[in-house]
Amino acid sequence: MPDCAGFRPTVTIIVPVYNRAAMAVEAVESCLAQTWRPLEILIVDDGSTDDLASALAGFGDAVRMKRQSNAGLSAARNRGMQMAKGDFVHFLDSDDLLLPAAVARKLDAFARIPDAELCYSLAVIEGERLAHLSPIAPPNGSPRCPTVSLFGDGLSCPFYVSCVMLPRFTLLATGGFEEDLRRGEDTRLWINLALRDTKVVGLDAKLTVRRLSNSTLSAAPMPRALQLLVRCRTVADLLGQRRTWTLAARSFPGLLHILLQDDDQSSHPGLAEANSRLLAAIGALGQGYQQDGMSPLPLLAHLRHLTRRAQDSSPALNPEVAGLIGQLCSSIDQAARGAGPLTLADVSFWANASVSRHGKRRINSFFDHAESLIKDGRTVLSTIDELLRNAPSIPAKRAIDTYVRLRRLAVPQRIALRLVLRKSN
């Protein structure tokens, strides 16, 4: 109840700082200029070597500061979340600024939509890297703008951290940022929030100033190993719920693309764990069960198709990459053999599933044709099931028709399948 003095929620603005004393002073000044009160400004000094304390001394008790050994941006933000006294948390990077109405406008949105758990705004972009920045689309109710669901039209990062405010309990419930990530930590948080059905409100207003210089962490290319780690964790999470299977299908090609990049030999200590987590998520789909009455077999067939195609298109892989792709292939093959049987719901669902932003994939075409065959009464689900379990890639229409014709001619099932797969490959 923002209009009642006794029920005005406190907002904590968390500003992590590392060796940016001068910019941090400007960030704090923008926080103090907020029209909303009560307000807590919490600075987390992530082991800076400049004299941040002296730079902030002039603000007195208006700013609370906590110093920690250098542990990275994620750890600094999490420390701030644990220490915050506010009911809501607004993030602000030390090189960014808040415009005066930023906090008040977001609280007004929460008051109007009380079941929302995240509010974001747009930003004014300044700095040397302006020309290289992808624009954030304003919320307009379209699938690409996360005005309800964080998944929106896919898995792209939908907003900047410095534009976001959330209830503190929401952040604590998700566990906050993944502290072993120096980059990509925001993407992982949005995924975790999306998986718990966090409702989102988007404001079509520029309430943050994002200042981009060539000295910022985001100016350098993200290491390949870190990209792969983030993508492995994300795909593993998406495989775990039937409602996100299509998003897993759309995200998997990006994982393969990163994996096949052979120009960066960097490594990350968490990559082995992320790979194991992904393989375990794939393996869990092959334990004969169905989720919400649907089989994971079509998803597994699609992943196998993509993996085999990537393997064939890059024959001269280094041993490490070849080994990882081999593990993926083996895990997918095993899971496909043990996945639950197809249902009519699977056929209709995958015929219309959105698995790509660039038109239909082979999985859609396969089930488009399978659906027409079933409606015509010329085949049964077990035929489609057999093809998907055994084909190294998703069969084309001609292969399906050949298999159906051979089966109708009373050719033994295994012989018919062998002939079709040999011909189609």
Side-chain angles (χ1 to χ4, degrees):
M1 299 176 65
D3 295 330
C4 300
F7 293 93
R8 289 174 67 86
T10 299
V11 176
T12 298
I13 303 177
I14 298 175
V15 186
V17 182
Y18 177 70
N19 287 344
R20 284 183 181 162
M23 299 191 84
V25 169
E26 296 176 356
V28 169
E29 289 173 344
S30 76
C31 295
L32 291 173
Q34 293 301 298
T35 60
W36 180 265
R37 293 295 185 277
L39 194 69
E40 177 189 35
I41 303 171
L42 180 55
I43 305 294
V44 182
D45 182 358
D46 188 36
S48 298
T49 56
D50 58 4
D51 195 355
L52 179 61
S54 296
L56 300 178
F59 295 112
D61 294 337
V63 174
R64 187 156 67 109
M65 188 175 82
K66 180 65 178 180
R67 181 176 174 83
Q68 66 176 26
S69 299
N70 181 257
L73 186 59
S74 296
R77 288 178 182 146
N78 287 347
R79 187 69 176 275
M81 286 162 39
Q82 294 158 7
M83 296 177 58
K85 298 177 181 178
D87 304 289
F88 291 84
V89 168
H90 198 304
F91 291 110
L92 182 66
D93 288 346
S94 58
D95 54 346
D96 295 336
L97 306 172
L98 290 180
L99 296 178
V103 170
R105 289 284 302 274
K106 292 185 177 74
L107 280 174
D108 178 66
F110 281 122
R112 293 171 183 271
I113 308 176
D115 63 334
E117 291 185 70
L118 185 149
C119 183
Y120 76 97
S121 67
L122 304 181
V124 177
I125 310 298
E126 299 178 352
E128 302 157 312
R129 293 191 291 119
L130 180 60
H132 305 288
L133 192 70
S134 299
I136 298 294
N140 58 9
S142 71
R144 296 183 67 83
C145 297
T147 52
V148 175
S149 169
L150 268 167
F151 281 130
D153 193 40
L155 296 171
S156 59
C157 184
F159 32 67
Y160 306 123
V161 177
S162 291
C163 295
V164 169
M165 187 162 79
L166 309 91
R168 181 168 172 262
F169 73 82
T170 297
L171 287 167
L172 295 176
T174 64
F177 295 91
E178 296 176 3
E179 296 190 7
D180 62 332
L181 299 180
R182 297 290 179 121
R183 299 277 298 277
E185 78 291 339
D186 51 347
T187 298
R188 288 294 301 147
L189 179 61
W190 311 146
I191 293 294
N192 289 330
L193 287 168
L195 288 169
R196 65 186 298 274
D197 293 321
T198 300
K199 187 172 182 177
V200 179
V201 179
L203 300 180
D204 189 4
K206 296 180 179 180
L207 301 175
T208 297
V209 178
R210 190 163 190 238
R211 301 187 290 182
L212 300 175
S213 69
N214 291 323
S215 63
T216 58
L217 182 64
S218 60
M222 190 169 172
R224 167 183 168 273
L226 195 51
Q227 294 180 47
L228 187 59
L229 187 155
V230 170
R231 189 66 67 132
C232 283
R233 288 180 181 175
T234 296
V235 173
D237 288 340
L238 297 174
L239 290 174
Q241 298 186 25
R242 200 279 300 169
R243 65 193 180 97
T244 55
W245 282 353
T246 56
L247 289 172
R250 293 178 62 175
S251 186
F252 196 73
L255 186 153
L256 293 174
H257 176 74
I258 297 168
L259 189 58
L260 293 175
Q261 293 175 7
D262 203 23
D263 57 349
D264 182 357
Q265 299 301 317
S266 61
S267 187
H268 188 283
L271 188 54
E273 177 273 335
N275 290 334
S276 297
R277 180 173 164 184
L278 174 60
L279 294 174
I282 293 171
L285 296 175
Q287 296 175 3
Y289 74 101
Q290 294 179 328
Q291 285 198 9
D292 301 329
M294 293 183 65
S295 168
L297 178 59
L299 173 63
L300 291 164
H302 180 62
L303 300 186
R304 179 171 57 193
H305 180 87
L306 295 173
T307 306
R308 298 285 185 183
R309 188 175 63 181
Q311 196 174 36
D312 293 341
S313 65
S314 304
L317 297 173
N318 70 52
E320 180 185 5
V321 173
L324 290 174
I325 291 184
Q327 287 180 321
L328 278 175
C329 290
S330 176
S331 181
I332 293 169
D333 286 343
Q334 185 173 351
R337 288 192 291 270
L342 289 177
T343 67
L344 288 174
D346 292 307
V347 176
S348 178
F349 177 82
W350 287 99
N352 300 289
S354 176
V355 298
S356 170
R357 292 186 181 181
H358 308 291
K360 290 218 168 188
R361 293 288 189 185
R362 181 70 72 83
I363 186 73
N364 300 118
S365 301
F366 178 90
F367 278 103
D368 271 341
H369 190 53
E371 193 170 33
S372 69
L373 292 175
I374 290 172
K375 288 179 180 177
D376 290 345
R378 288 190 287 134
T379 190
V380 292
L381 281 174
S382 60
T383 303
I384 308 302
D385 191 296
E386 181 79 9
L387 281 172
L388 288 184
R389 289 187 194 279
N390 291 277
S393 59
I394 296 175
K397 178 179 181 296
R398 183 177 61 181
I400 301 174
D401 290 340
T402 302
Y403 183 48
V404 171
R405 186 169 63 252
L406 290 171
R407 291 286 301 276
R408 290 173 64 193
L409 293 173
V411 176
Q413 182 173 331
R414 300 300 300 179
I415 297 176
L417 184 62
R418 186 176 302 173
L419 289 171
V420 167
L421 295 184
R422 180 181 298 173
K423 182 177 181 180
S424 63
N425 291 335

